[in-house]
Amino acid sequence: MVKTLTSNYESEKPIRTYEEINEKIKKGDAVVLKADEFKRLVKDRGVEAVAKEVDVVTTGTFGAMCSSGAVINLGHSDPPIKIDKAWINDVPVCHPGAAVDLYIGATQMSEVKPFEYGGGHVIEDLISGKEVELKATAYGTDCYPRTRLETTLTKYDLNQFYMLNFRNSYQKYVCATNSRDVTIYTYMGKLLPHYGNATFSGSGELNPLINDPEYETIGIGTKIFLGGAKGYVIGEGTQHDPKNQMGTLMVKGNCMDMDPKFVRGAAITRYGTSIYVGLGIPIPILNLKIAKNAAVTDEQITVKILDYGVPRRDRPILGEVSYRELKSGKIEVLGKTVKVSPLSSLKGAVEVAETLKKWIEEGLFYLSKPVENLPRDSVFKPMKEKAIMKRIV
Amino acid sequence: MVKVLLKFHGGLMNEPITSTVILEKGVKLNILKASIHEKGGEMLIEIPDVFAENVIEAFKSKGVEVVIKRTISVDSNRCIHCGACLSLCPVNVIKMSSDYSIIFDEDKCVACGLCIDACPMKAISLVVF
């Protein structure tokens, strides 16, 4: 017991501080490695030696993140309107607050081209500088008399254009396959009958949260790469499930500075529209423990293989597989070799980590210390339903 | 189904090649069109997706020229190299390179179309020659 305490103390002994790292970034001497480079170096030279030399490890992921969207403020029309319902490029946008604040939800679909064009595409188009069409209706009040509005806008006409995502960047995710006799189209992609293929999401050892599983450096206020611009973690995401290594993040960033290369509208056949978001987090190597955690490799990260042919909350578990196997392109499902597709862009994830590394090396990005840590013991509960509804199902 | 045009040149006219392939591979082919002329013959057939690669190879090994009428085209501006298409290709035309780029070997594509609706960026389309 005493020995364990000593060794924990030893591994948490500070090697460097945020301030020291930022000072090195300022001077242009910070040693920054992408997560994959860091792991390779640890394998060659051992974690103790590498932890002494490397200041920051950059991570990245670029995948479908449905619980994403953007807040926009339109400014006031004359006469003014307190919007009740609104559409951008025929996609219904939510009006959650005061007169001219709107939230563009990534999964909202066009009423004219459903399943093809949605909120994610609107956000991508706006970031690209394209002109979009806004239509709005209102019930009219003494102070906001206008009841109809039609105009065209680009991002330069907006007062604010923030990405505000309430669940992004899963620590890791499941692998999906399909036992049914027919092809199914799910949020985990197209799944062929009789376990004909499998899909997985996330970038494994490059994923941000998996490299800091105890959330020691990632918390409220952590500065991150979001969609090609600087963004911030503003809390744990919805459905944050730390005990099952399925932590999530709530994040915010300024869309005005984002790059459409890292923010892409998506149309997932027969599921709906979504958005692919590039997200990367720098992990400061403050002590040996953090270095050891960031040395985790694809072989050590395992996920469950679930049967998406069974459309229930608890899907049958068919096995467990590592990200190394998943990234090899083939896995075993019930004794059968099955081809497997990533759904997140691994190439995109590397580009995110690479870009973030470059920003830090060039002194364009400094690290911020979280003001509060993410919860490590919260629980992801199922929905409370009326007993009678369960019987109907 | 994969649509291909078979071209039987001169010397092949006296052999029952199509029947041989059907029996050898145990495959049901749809013959959509057939014509014979002095220099040989042509036949437009449809092959079930899962047999496509095998059947095409079988015809080629017997000296038949196989022209695939369609192929896929990938819009490189839309493709984000996610690889959602990878596990759907029955003939391994789609591969991931060591830098995680998704590569399409369009020459080998049998135009079955299975990958098209798997693409979240809708970057893949069929091209008809």
Coordinates of all heavy atoms in Angstrom, one line a residue, chain A residues 62 115 121 124 185 190 192 196-199 261 264-269 276 298 327 339-348 350, chain B residues 76-92 96 99-102 113-122:
Chain A
F62 N -11.9 13.4 -36.4 CA -12.7 14.0 -37.4 C -13.8 13.1 -37.8 O -13.7 12.2 -38.7 CB -11.8 14.4 -38.6 CG -12.5 15.2 -39.7 CD1 -13.5 16.1 -39.4 CD2 -12.1 15.1 -41.0 CE1 -14.1 16.8 -40.4 CE2 -12.6 15.9 -42.0 CZ -13.7 16.8 -41.7
F115 N -32.9 14.4 -46.1 CA -31.9 13.3 -46.2 C -30.7 13.6 -47.1 O -29.8 12.9 -47.3 CB -32.5 11.9 -46.6 CG -33.5 11.4 -45.6 CD1 -34.8 11.6 -45.7 CD2 -33.0 10.7 -44.5 CE1 -35.7 11.1 -44.8 CE2 -33.9 10.2 -43.6 CZ -35.3 10.4 -43.7
H121 N -25.0 21.1 -43.4 CA -24.6 21.7 -44.7 C -24.8 23.2 -44.6 O -24.0 23.9 -45.2 CB -25.5 21.1 -45.8 CG -25.3 19.6 -46.0 ND1 -26.2 18.7 -45.4 CD2 -24.5 18.9 -46.8 CE1 -25.8 17.5 -45.7 NE2 -24.8 17.6 -46.6
E124 N -21.7 24.4 -42.9 CA -20.6 24.4 -43.8 C -20.7 25.5 -44.9 O -19.7 26.1 -45.2 CB -20.5 23.0 -44.5 CG -19.4 22.9 -45.5 CD -19.4 21.6 -46.4 OE1 -20.0 20.6 -46.0 OE2 -18.8 21.7 -47.5
Y185 N -29.7 0.7 -42.7 CA -29.0 2.0 -42.8 C -29.1 2.7 -41.5 O -30.2 3.0 -41.0 CB -29.6 2.8 -43.9 CG -29.4 2.3 -45.3 CD1 -30.2 1.3 -45.8 CD2 -28.3 2.8 -46.1 CE1 -29.9 0.8 -47.1 CE2 -28.1 2.3 -47.3 CZ -28.9 1.3 -47.9 OH -28.7 0.8 -49.1
K190 N -24.0 2.0 -43.4 CA -24.7 0.9 -44.1 C -24.2 -0.4 -43.6 O -23.0 -0.7 -43.8 CB -24.4 1.1 -45.6 CG -25.1 0.1 -46.5 CD -24.8 0.5 -47.9 CE -25.5 -0.4 -48.9 NZ -25.2 -0.1 -50.3
L192 N -24.4 -4.5 -44.0 CA -24.9 -5.5 -44.9 C -25.5 -6.7 -44.0 O -25.2 -6.8 -42.8 CB -23.7 -6.0 -45.7 CG -23.1 -5.0 -46.6 CD1 -21.9 -5.6 -47.3 CD2 -24.1 -4.5 -47.7
G196 N -22.4 -9.0 -42.7 CA -21.7 -8.9 -44.0 C -20.6 -7.8 -43.9 O -19.7 -7.9 -44.8
N197 N -20.6 -6.9 -43.0 CA -19.5 -6.0 -42.8 C -19.7 -5.4 -41.3 O -20.6 -5.8 -40.6 CB -19.6 -4.8 -43.8 CG -20.8 -3.9 -43.6 OD1 -21.8 -4.3 -43.1 ND2 -20.6 -2.7 -44.1
A198 N -18.8 -4.5 -41.0 CA -18.9 -3.8 -39.7 C -18.4 -2.4 -39.8 O -17.7 -2.1 -40.8 CB -18.1 -4.6 -38.6
T199 N -18.7 -1.5 -38.9 CA -18.3 -0.2 -39.0 C -17.8 0.3 -37.6 O -18.3 -0.3 -36.6 CB -19.4 0.8 -39.4 OG1 -20.5 0.7 -38.5 CG2 -19.8 0.5 -40.8
K261 N -12.9 22.8 -44.5 CA -12.2 21.5 -44.7 C -12.4 20.6 -43.4 O -12.5 19.4 -43.5 CB -10.7 21.8 -44.8 CG -9.8 20.6 -45.1 CD -8.4 21.0 -45.2 CE -7.5 19.8 -45.2 NZ -6.1 20.1 -45.1
R264 N -17.9 19.6 -42.1 CA -18.5 19.2 -43.3 C -19.9 18.7 -43.1 O -20.1 17.8 -42.2 CB -17.7 18.0 -43.9 CG -16.4 18.4 -44.5 CD -16.6 19.3 -45.8 NE -15.4 19.5 -46.5 CZ -15.0 18.7 -47.5 NH1 -15.8 17.8 -47.9 NH2 -13.9 19.0 -48.1
G265 N -20.9 19.2 -43.8 CA -22.3 18.7 -43.8 C -22.2 17.2 -44.3 O -21.5 16.9 -45.2
A266 N -23.0 16.4 -43.7 CA -23.1 15.0 -44.1 C -24.5 14.5 -44.3 O -25.4 15.0 -43.6 CB -22.4 14.1 -43.0
A267 N -24.7 13.6 -45.2 CA -26.0 13.0 -45.4 C -25.9 11.5 -45.2 O -25.3 10.8 -46.1 CB -26.5 13.4 -46.8
I268 N -26.4 11.0 -44.1 CA -26.2 9.5 -43.9 C -27.5 8.9 -44.3 O -28.6 9.1 -43.8 CB -25.9 9.3 -42.4 CG1 -24.6 10.1 -42.0 CG2 -25.8 7.8 -42.0 CD1 -24.4 10.2 -40.5
T269 N -27.3 8.0 -45.4 CA -28.5 7.5 -46.1 C -29.5 6.9 -45.1 O -29.2 6.1 -44.3 CB -28.0 6.4 -47.1 OG1 -27.1 7.0 -48.0 CG2 -29.2 5.9 -47.9
Y276 N -19.7 16.5 -39.9 CA -18.4 16.0 -39.5 C -17.6 17.2 -39.0 O -17.5 18.2 -39.6 CB -17.6 15.4 -40.7 CG -17.9 13.9 -40.9 CD1 -19.2 13.5 -41.2 CD2 -17.0 13.0 -40.8 CE1 -19.5 12.2 -41.4 CE2 -17.2 11.6 -41.0 CZ -18.5 11.2 -41.3 OH -18.8 9.9 -41.5
D298 N -3.4 1.7 -29.9 CA -4.6 1.1 -30.4 C -4.9 -0.3 -29.9 O -6.0 -0.7 -29.8 CB -4.5 1.1 -32.0 CG -4.9 2.4 -32.6 OD1 -5.7 3.2 -32.0 OD2 -4.4 2.7 -33.7
K327 N -8.6 -0.9 -37.4 CA -7.9 -0.2 -38.4 C -7.2 -1.1 -39.4 O -6.8 -0.6 -40.5 CB -6.9 0.8 -37.7 CG -7.5 2.0 -37.0 CD -6.4 2.9 -36.4 CE -7.1 4.0 -35.5 NZ -6.1 4.8 -34.9
K339 N -15.2 -7.6 -43.2 CA -14.5 -6.3 -43.6 C -15.1 -5.2 -42.7 O -16.3 -5.2 -42.4 CB -14.8 -6.0 -45.1 CG -13.9 -6.8 -46.0 CD -13.7 -6.1 -47.3 CE -14.6 -6.7 -48.3 NZ -14.4 -6.1 -49.6
V340 N -14.3 -4.2 -42.3 CA -14.7 -3.2 -41.4 C -14.4 -1.8 -42.0 O -13.3 -1.6 -42.6 CB -14.2 -3.4 -40.0 CG1 -12.7 -3.5 -40.0 CG2 -14.7 -2.4 -39.0
S341 N -15.3 -0.9 -41.9 CA -15.1 0.5 -42.4 C -15.0 1.5 -41.2 O -15.8 1.4 -40.3 CB -16.4 1.0 -43.1 OG -16.5 0.5 -44.4
P342 N -14.0 2.4 -41.3 CA -14.1 3.5 -40.3 C -15.2 4.4 -40.7 O -15.5 4.6 -41.9 CB -12.7 4.1 -40.4 CG -12.0 3.5 -41.6 CD -12.9 2.5 -42.2
L343 N -15.8 5.1 -39.8 CA -16.8 6.2 -40.2 C -16.2 7.5 -40.0 O -16.5 8.5 -40.7 CB -18.1 6.0 -39.4 CG -18.8 4.7 -39.6 CD1 -20.0 4.6 -38.7 CD2 -19.3 4.6 -41.0
S344 N -15.2 7.6 -39.0 CA -14.5 8.9 -38.8 C -13.4 8.9 -39.8 O -12.9 7.8 -40.2 CB -13.9 8.9 -37.4 OG -14.9 8.9 -36.5
S345 N -12.9 10.0 -40.3 CA -11.8 10.1 -41.2 C -10.5 10.0 -40.4 O -10.2 11.0 -39.6 CB -11.9 11.4 -42.0 OG -10.6 11.5 -42.7
L346 N -9.8 8.9 -40.5 CA -8.5 8.8 -39.8 C -7.5 9.8 -40.4 O -6.7 10.4 -39.7 CB -8.0 7.3 -39.9 CG -9.0 6.3 -39.2 CD1 -8.5 4.9 -39.5 CD2 -9.1 6.5 -37.7
K347 N -7.5 9.9 -41.7 CA -6.6 10.9 -42.4 C -6.9 12.3 -41.8 O -6.0 13.1 -41.5 CB -6.9 10.8 -43.9 CG -5.9 11.7 -44.7 CD -6.3 11.6 -46.2 CE -5.6 12.7 -47.0 NZ -4.4 12.3 -47.6
G348 N -8.2 12.6 -41.7 CA -8.6 13.9 -41.1 C -8.1 14.1 -39.7 O -7.7 15.2 -39.3
V350 N -5.5 12.8 -38.3 CA -4.0 13.0 -38.3 C -3.8 14.5 -38.7 O -3.0 15.2 -38.1 CB -3.3 12.0 -39.3 CG1 -1.9 12.4 -39.4 CG2 -3.5 10.6 -38.8
Chain B
S76 N -13.3 14.5 -55.5 CA -12.2 14.7 -54.5 C -12.4 15.9 -53.6 O -11.9 16.0 -52.5 CB -10.9 14.7 -55.2 OG -10.9 15.8 -56.1
N77 N -13.2 16.8 -54.1 CA -13.5 18.0 -53.2 C -14.5 17.6 -52.1 O -14.5 18.3 -51.0 CB -14.2 19.1 -54.0 CG -13.2 19.7 -55.0 OD1 -12.0 19.9 -54.7 ND2 -13.7 20.0 -56.2
R78 N -15.3 16.6 -52.3 CA -16.2 16.2 -51.2 C -15.7 15.1 -50.3 O -16.0 15.0 -49.2 CB -17.6 15.7 -51.8 CG -18.6 16.7 -52.3 CD -18.9 17.8 -51.3 NE -19.6 17.4 -50.1 CZ -19.7 18.2 -49.0 NH1 -19.2 19.4 -48.9 NH2 -20.4 17.8 -47.9
C79 N -14.8 14.2 -50.9 CA -14.4 13.0 -50.2 C -13.5 13.5 -49.0 O -12.6 14.3 -49.2 CB -13.5 12.1 -51.1 SG -12.8 10.7 -50.2
I80 N -13.8 13.0 -47.8 CA -13.0 13.4 -46.6 C -12.2 12.2 -46.1 O -11.6 12.2 -45.0 CB -13.9 13.9 -45.5 CG1 -15.0 12.9 -45.1 CG2 -14.5 15.3 -45.8 CD1 -15.6 13.1 -43.8
H81 N -12.1 11.1 -46.9 CA -11.3 9.9 -46.6 C -11.8 9.3 -45.3 O -10.9 8.9 -44.5 CB -9.8 10.3 -46.6 CG -9.3 10.8 -47.9 ND1 -8.8 10.0 -48.9 CD2 -9.3 12.0 -48.4 CE1 -8.5 10.7 -49.9 NE2 -8.8 11.9 -49.7
C82 N -13.1 9.2 -45.1 CA -13.5 8.5 -43.9 C -13.4 7.0 -44.0 O -13.1 6.3 -43.1 CB -15.0 8.9 -43.5 SG -16.2 8.4 -44.7
G83 N -13.7 6.5 -45.2 CA -13.7 5.0 -45.4 C -15.0 4.3 -45.2 O -15.0 3.1 -45.1
A84 N -16.1 5.0 -45.1 CA -17.4 4.4 -44.9 C -17.7 3.4 -46.0 O -18.4 2.4 -45.8 CB -18.5 5.4 -44.8
C85 N -17.1 3.6 -47.2 CA -17.3 2.8 -48.4 C -16.5 1.5 -48.3 O -16.8 0.6 -49.0 CB -16.9 3.6 -49.6 SG -15.3 4.4 -49.5
L86 N -15.4 1.5 -47.6 CA -14.4 0.4 -47.6 C -15.0 -1.0 -47.5 O -14.6 -1.8 -48.3 CB -13.4 0.6 -46.4 CG -12.1 1.3 -46.6 CD1 -11.4 1.3 -45.3 CD2 -11.3 0.7 -47.7
S87 N -15.8 -1.2 -46.5 CA -16.2 -2.6 -46.2 C -17.4 -3.0 -47.2 O -17.8 -4.1 -47.1 CB -16.7 -2.7 -44.8 OG -17.9 -1.9 -44.6
L88 N -17.8 -2.1 -48.0 CA -19.0 -2.5 -48.9 C -18.5 -3.0 -50.3 O -19.3 -3.6 -51.0 CB -19.9 -1.3 -49.0 CG -20.5 -0.9 -47.7 CD1 -21.0 0.5 -47.7 CD2 -21.6 -1.8 -47.3
C89 N -17.3 -2.8 -50.6 CA -16.8 -3.1 -52.0 C -16.6 -4.6 -52.1 O -15.8 -5.2 -51.4 CB -15.6 -2.4 -52.3 SG -15.0 -2.7 -54.0
P90 N -17.4 -5.3 -53.0 CA -17.2 -6.8 -53.1 C -16.0 -7.2 -53.8 O -15.6 -8.4 -53.8 CB -18.5 -7.2 -53.8 CG -18.9 -6.0 -54.6 CD -18.4 -4.8 -53.9
V91 N -15.3 -6.3 -54.5 CA -14.2 -6.6 -55.3 C -12.9 -5.9 -54.9 O -11.9 -5.9 -55.6 CB -14.4 -6.4 -56.8 CG1 -15.4 -7.4 -57.4 CG2 -14.9 -5.0 -57.1
N92 N -12.9 -5.4 -53.7 CA -11.7 -4.8 -53.1 C -11.0 -3.7 -53.9 O -9.8 -3.6 -54.0 CB -10.6 -5.8 -52.7 CG -11.2 -6.8 -51.7 OD1 -11.9 -6.4 -50.8 ND2 -10.9 -8.1 -51.9
M96 N -7.4 1.4 -48.2 CA -6.8 2.5 -47.3 C -5.3 2.4 -47.4 O -4.7 1.4 -47.1 CB -7.3 2.4 -45.9 CG -6.9 3.6 -45.0 SD -7.4 3.3 -43.3 CE -9.1 4.0 -43.4
D99 N -1.1 6.2 -45.2 CA -1.4 7.5 -44.6 C -2.9 7.7 -44.4 O -3.4 8.9 -44.3 CB -0.8 8.7 -45.4 CG -1.5 8.9 -46.7 OD1 -2.3 8.1 -47.1 OD2 -1.3 10.0 -47.3
Y100 N -3.7 6.6 -44.4 CA -5.1 6.7 -44.2 C -5.9 7.3 -45.4 O -7.1 7.6 -45.2 CB -5.5 7.3 -42.9 CG -5.0 6.7 -41.7 CD1 -4.2 7.4 -40.7 CD2 -5.2 5.3 -41.4 CE1 -3.7 6.8 -39.6 CE2 -4.7 4.7 -40.2 CZ -4.0 5.5 -39.3 OH -3.5 4.9 -38.2
S101 N -5.3 7.5 -46.5 CA -6.0 8.0 -47.7 C -6.9 6.8 -48.2 O -6.4 5.7 -48.2 CB -5.1 8.5 -48.8 OG -4.4 9.6 -48.4
I102 N -8.0 7.2 -48.7 CA -8.9 6.2 -49.3 C -8.6 6.2 -50.8 O -8.7 7.3 -51.5 CB -10.4 6.4 -49.0 CG1 -10.6 6.5 -47.5 CG2 -11.3 5.3 -49.7 CD1 -10.3 5.2 -46.7
G113 N -22.2 -0.4 -57.4 CA -22.9 0.7 -56.8 C -23.1 0.6 -55.3 O -23.7 1.4 -54.7
L114 N -22.6 -0.5 -54.7 CA -22.9 -0.7 -53.2 C -22.3 0.4 -52.4 O -22.9 0.7 -51.3 CB -22.3 -2.1 -52.8 CG -23.1 -3.3 -53.0 CD1 -22.3 -4.6 -52.6 CD2 -24.4 -3.3 -52.2
C115 N -21.2 1.0 -52.8 CA -20.6 2.0 -52.0 C -21.3 3.4 -52.0 O -21.1 4.2 -51.1 CB -19.1 2.2 -52.4 SG -19.0 2.7 -54.1
I116 N -22.1 3.6 -53.1 CA -22.6 4.9 -53.3 C -23.4 5.5 -52.2 O -23.2 6.6 -51.7 CB -23.4 5.0 -54.6 CG1 -22.4 4.8 -55.8 CG2 -24.1 6.3 -54.8 CD1 -23.0 4.6 -57.1
D117 N -24.4 4.7 -51.7 CA -25.3 5.3 -50.6 C -24.6 5.1 -49.3 O -25.3 5.5 -48.3 CB -26.7 4.7 -50.7 CG -26.7 3.2 -50.5 OD1 -25.7 2.6 -50.3 OD2 -27.9 2.7 -50.6
A118 N -23.4 4.6 -49.2 CA -22.8 4.5 -47.9 C -22.0 5.8 -47.6 O -21.5 6.0 -46.5 CB -21.8 3.3 -47.8
C119 N -21.8 6.6 -48.6 CA -20.9 7.8 -48.5 C -21.6 8.9 -47.8 O -22.6 9.4 -48.4 CB -20.4 8.2 -49.9 SG -19.4 9.7 -49.8
P120 N -21.2 9.4 -46.6 CA -21.9 10.5 -46.0 C -21.7 11.8 -46.6 O -22.4 12.7 -46.3 CB -21.3 10.5 -44.6 CG -19.9 9.8 -44.7 CD -20.0 8.8 -45.9
M121 N -20.7 11.9 -47.5 CA -20.5 13.2 -48.2 C -21.1 13.1 -49.6 O -21.0 14.1 -50.3 CB -18.9 13.4 -48.4 CG -18.2 13.6 -47.1 SD -18.8 15.1 -46.2 CE -19.0 14.5 -44.6
K122 N -21.7 12.0 -50.0 CA -22.3 11.8 -51.3 C -21.3 12.2 -52.4 O -21.6 13.0 -53.3 CB -23.6 12.6 -51.4 CG -24.7 12.2 -50.4 CD -25.2 10.8 -50.6 CE -26.1 10.2 -49.5 NZ -25.4 9.4 -48.5

